[in-house]
Amino acid sequence: MRTALIVLAALTAAVVVDVVSGVLIRRAARGRYKWLLEPLRHACRRPAAAVLLVGALYYALPPGPAEWQRYLRHSVLLVLIALSSWLVIRTLHVAEAVSFSKLPSDLVKSRRIRRARTQIRPVRRLTVAVVTVVAIGLILITFRPVRLAGISILTSAGVIGAVIGLSARTALGNAFAGIQIAFADGMHVGDVLVVDGEWGRVEEVKLTNVVIRLWDNRVLILPTTYFTERPFQNWTRNEFRVIGKVQIHVDHTADLDDLRREARRLVESSPLWDRDQWVLQMVDATPQTVVIEVQASAADGASAWNLRCDLREGLVGYLRDHHPQWLPRTRSEYQP
């Protein structure tokens, strides 16, 4: 009867605390802390009530001499540990969501915003993993055989840990590389990278892999250790503007001023150009041709790619239709 009354009182207290906290949070949420209190209560309401109820039940149940009483109290303790870890994990998810909501939505324009988005999610995933491991450890400690083994299994545990570490060294290496990428400031979510000749935008940085959306909408998933062991190009590390480059081989007799006027017309008439900078230069010369390069800036990687294609198509068409004599050709000299 005493246990039943305590459980009923704990259930009533949980309901009262939930209602009162809801009223207080709704009143406080009208002010400056609405952005934090409302999502926190919405996400943590059920796990918090469950922790309160199960905690009261655990302390209400007497240890008792009977074996079933000990088993019941131990089972309630395991449930309490699991619910507590659930509450902490839900709180971490709310912290991540609130952090993202406080950042401006246009993450491609600010390097600081992209860096914050890159760092917050791996940290949340790492803390969730730590909380899970701690909860599992606390659950195992509650079992007397595991707790009493202690020193006797230390050596065997060390051997097993070494074997597990060797077998999981790739996964652990990727996890540590993910943390290194998040805080090394080498790339961020939204950056445009060139990897193995393919360029794309970073969609997500996880603990074990990086997801890149390529220019043709394919998805490239690489382990995080790839970016700590191999070089890669980051077009947008300092700013999001991308410079597109087009190289064309023409004959030595080509008039560069004429080509520069045509390139200027093509660039200025393109809606993909961001009106910042462009240039046409001779960057190389071979015995048969000279190499001209057109550089034009665009707002992002996708616009730069399309602008490059349009400029290349326009210049080749101009040479073919108006100055075919400037196209590359091989000369020979006949001597009788």
Side-chain angles (χ1 to χ4, degrees), residues 108-125:
V108 301
K109 297 298 183 182
S110 173
R111 181 170 177 264
R112 181 181 60 84
I113 297 172
R114 291 185 281 124
R115 180 174 59 187
R117 286 181 174 267
T118 304
Q119 294 175 352
I120 290 173
R121 183 156 293 170
V123 170
R124 192 267 302 168
R125 287 173 175 163

Side-chain angles (χ1 to χ4, degrees), residues 23 79 99 112 114 139 150 153-154 165 171 175 182 196 209 217 222 228 284-285 304:
V23 174
V79 174
S99 300
R112 181 181 60 84
R114 291 185 281 124
I139 290 174
I153 65 171
L154 183 59
D196 286 341
N209 57 67
N217 218 30
L222 295 171
T228 59
D284 198 4

